Amino acid sequence: MAVPLNAPTDQVRRVSARHFVRLKLRVMGNNFRGQGWRVALFLIGSLFGLWFAASAFFGLAAPGLTGNDRYAMLVAAFAGGLTVLGWLLLPLVFFGVDETLDPARFALLPLPRRTLVTGLFAAALVSVPTIAVLVALSGLVVTAGVFGGWFAAAVAALGVVCGVLLCVAAARAVTSAFATMLRSRRVRDLAAVLLAVAAALLGPLQIAGLAAFQDVDWDRLAGVATVIGWTPFGAPWTAGIDVAQGRAWAAPLKLLITLATIAALLAWWSRSLESAMVGAASSGPAKASPAATGGVVAQLFPRAASWLKRDRFGVLVAREARYWWRDARRRANLITIAVVGLFVPVMVNFGGQGFTVGNEQGFSLAGDTSPLLVSLSMLFVGLLAAVTLANQFGFDGSAYAANVVAGVPGRLELRARMTAFSLYVLPMLAVVAVVIALVLGEPAWIGFMAGTLVGTYGAGLAVNSFVSVLGAYSLPETSNPFAMNSGAGMVKSLLTLLAMVATGAIAVPMVVAAALLGDAWLWLGLPLGLAYGVGAALLGAHLAGDVLDRRLPELLAMVTPRR
Amino acid sequence: MTGEHPALALRGLAKSFDGKIAVAGVDLDVPTGSFYGLLGPNGAGKTTTLSMAVGLLRPDAGGAWVLGRDVWTDPVGAKQLLGVMPDGVRLFDRLSGGELLAYHGLLRGMDPAVVDQRAAELLDVLALADAGRTLVVDYSAGMKKKIGLACALLHGPRLLVLDEPFEAVDPVSAALIRDILQRYVAGGGTVVFSSHVMEVVQRLCSHVAILAEGTIKRVGTLEQVRGERSLEEVFVEVVGGRTATGEELAWLSR
């Protein structure tokens, strides 16, 4: 009765996307098992998401609810376009993608690529953000329905669903391609440039958004909205409005644009997916490694850090410094800091300038900048740089065991990690201060800008020392620097938010000083900021180091990926 | 003074994960100068026991002493005497082999010149010098084991705790590792290692403990545990596994 081993085909059943979805739900469920706090965090995060979605829903339905036909197209095009852009860029910059189903795990299964891509795509759709966006953008359906009746509402609903598919496909394709690129060291510089360009795209949109805020010229904006409506960014969202406004012919075309874009994105994803699947096996050709010269100690210390003493502190700094550059996941974070650090201040301080020219009596929220506004933008850059360390032990994973076995004192460990990270970040912050001050045409501000940056950064280091010791989580051991475990995504977002709020609170004196001290702050800013930052960081390392000493094995268990 | 203390003493070590008992009270005395094999099937709790013994995992109950120093109340003192090679734990693998050794050496507070000299010798003996500046992440599994052993040996510990040192190691490297460990024991060191390869244990060890289902089933010198039989027979009898398959997998043979 033995079934022949070499003829298994008659037993094979087709694998459908449903299997992937069920697998993802099962993995998510198992991750929650016996971890009450994870469930709680997940619920809190979901509630946040839904609350946000609900308010956005009413915002987008407002043109319909108030019967204001004029704004319908505008709202659909801009809100929809920003949503797509957000899904495109935010995973790269902040949040990462949920890689509950790691593509590499499917490498050995006899699955056609098409099945794999559709399956992973379907699984990616099952997530809180997707549902939240779906709820939020459904507001457009209400608007279309009010103006165009049932048919327009149906078209709008179809458009919104396609739009959400587009968002998810875009996020997947971009992060996957990016991960592939970052893995090969040769193109990492190109990657940095690409990210910069992508972030730069936010600038014009921000200007447009501020302009809309100021109610400058609705007709001109309507023109822009129409154009956006014909790009993949706006096409899915505006189709329903087109029907409602009597341009029914446009709807099928726009849906076609959307579907073609989704198809193209999925095709792109499936190509980069293949390299992601085999990536683990062949992470680059074995380079002809140069023969080691000199002693091993000399090899370990980077040339830029050769001033370090050859002791425990020095060697911890040297290893961390090497890691910030060699680990793709960390390098991606550094690139993010560099890009965001330059572009956010530019956007904040220049946001509305183009529009205030033609609108002199308009309020000066944007336009001509002030020390206060500059301080706030510097504060943001500083805390963003520091929050990168919120899961600094998670980067190490189980390798952290080496430090536990060696019994590294907590304070030493934290101080060394801060120092190594600062080797990269402080020069970046200096560049930010100088460049922004020059761009603003206020070179006298360099001092207090740098002071605010360093002060906030130092406060952030202190806060994030605690966060990294108490709220560490494991990162998956994949080659995708943007990958995160399910559940961890929510944890990460909440912890990041918490750390940033706490840092902001501690750094508030820097902004208050800028507002109160006036010209004196121009001179006092740098020394006070430096003292504040260094003091906060050292105090943080001192206090958090004690906590770390008591929890070495617990921390190791938290950052060790479960297998 | 250390002569009166065993190299490693475990008392009532217990650990459970999510209500599932992994180790249920392990008592063990590893005499100084012994070559101690911890035997057990997969999932017996070997890694959990050794992790608790060296301070990587906090036990639910019980304690561990390295040459009389409590691992959990005097971690600095205990960890100085200890060299550890954990299993299933990554190394800082984005360093080259030499850099990794330098890291471990200086982290132990060693003199840089001594680190340089010992690292060069270790890399040479373990045939890792050819790898040059290749990152450890690109090493083969066997090379990773060898560099892990080198890291554990570098600071000259009194007690060496190795988790599965012979797994995924080719016969040539295994012979090399055996030789190094035997020299280390002959020089007064103590080795505790876990394994489920009987012939290695039989060849090397002076003492053996068999761990199954989270408790020590047999313990003593190799002769005491083995008696007249082979170690494998004793092991299978103690662990109580099934040794032959019946009708079920008939489809395999065709």
Side-chain angles (χ1 to χ4, degrees), chain A residues 2-6 33-34 185 283 287 289-293 295-301 310-312 315-316 319 322-323 326-329 396 398-408 417 477 549-554 556-557 562-563, chain B residues 18 54-58 72 75-76 79-80 82-84 86-104 106-110 112-113 115-116 119-120 123 129-135 138 250-254:
Chain A
V3 179
L5 191 62
N6 51 4
R33 210 160 52 182
R185 284 178 208 164
S283 54
K287 297 167 295 293
S289 55
T293 50
V296 292
V297 174
Q299 288 170 34
L300 177 59
F301 284 74
R310 269 45 172 173
D311 58 2
R312 300 175 101 187
V315 81
L316 280 166
R319 203 267 306 152
R322 287 258 183 240
Y323 256 67
R326 287 188 188 167
D327 186 353
R329 195 146 30 196
D396 291 352
S398 54
Y400 177 61
N403 293 13
V404 177
V405 168
V408 180
R417 281 169 188 266
E477 289 180 347
D549 278 336
R550 287 195 297 274
R551 330 181 0 103
L552 286 178
E554 284 76 11
L556 178 63
R562 281 206 285 176
R563 274 172 302 176
Chain B
D18 298 333
V54 300
L56 285 176
L57 182 69
R58 199 182 295 280
W72 293 100
V76 177
K79 284 171 178 178
Q80 270 169 357
L82 199 57
V84 182
D87 183 46
V89 162
R90 287 170 64 148
L91 301 158
F92 278 109
D93 53 16
R94 280 182 174 73
L95 303 177
S96 71
E99 288 170 350
L100 188 64
L101 283 174
Y103 178 66
H104 276 263
L106 294 185
L107 203 57
R108 296 286 192 168
M110 290 169 65
V115 173
D116 273 340
L123 289 174
D130 295 339
R133 310 208 69 164
T134 308
L135 299 187
D138 295 330
W251 52 269
L252 268 177
S253 51
R254 157 62 216 260

Side-chain angles (χ1 to χ4, degrees), chain B residues 36-55:
Chain B
Y36 212 105
L38 187 59
L39 280 169
N42 297 323
K46 300 189 296 288
T47 297
T48 309
T49 304
L50 292 183
S51 297
M52 290 189 290
V54 300

Side-chain angles (χ1 to χ4, degrees), chain B residues 44-167:
Chain B
K46 300 189 296 288
T47 297
T48 309
T49 304
L50 292 183
S51 297
M52 290 189 290
V54 300
L56 285 176
L57 182 69
R58 199 182 295 280
D60 294 339
W65 289 261
V66 175
L67 291 160
R69 293 171 191 246
D70 192 320
V71 172
W72 293 100
T73 58
D74 177 20
V76 177
K79 284 171 178 178
Q80 270 169 357
L81 303 170
L82 199 57
V84 182
M85 181 171 81
D87 183 46
V89 162
R90 287 170 64 148
L91 301 158
F92 278 109
D93 53 16
R94 280 182 174 73
L95 303 177
S96 71
E99 288 170 350
L100 188 64
L101 283 174
Y103 178 66
H104 276 263
L106 294 185
L107 203 57
R108 296 286 192 168
M110 290 169 65
D111 181 70
V114 178
V115 173
D116 273 340
Q117 186 221 332
R118 288 193 188 174
E121 282 180 23
L122 278 168
L123 289 174
D124 210 35
V125 169
L126 288 167
L128 292 171
D130 295 339
R133 310 208 69 164
T134 308
L135 299 187
V136 173
V137 70
D138 295 330
Y139 276 18
S140 69
M143 288 164 80
K144 280 181 187 160
K145 281 281 179 204
K146 286 197 282 184
I147 195 73
L149 180 67
C151 291
L153 281 170
L154 186 65
H155 63 285
R158 302 286 306 280
L159 169 66
L160 205 49
V161 177
L162 314 170
D163 196 1
E164 303 282 2
F166 296 102
E167 208 169 66

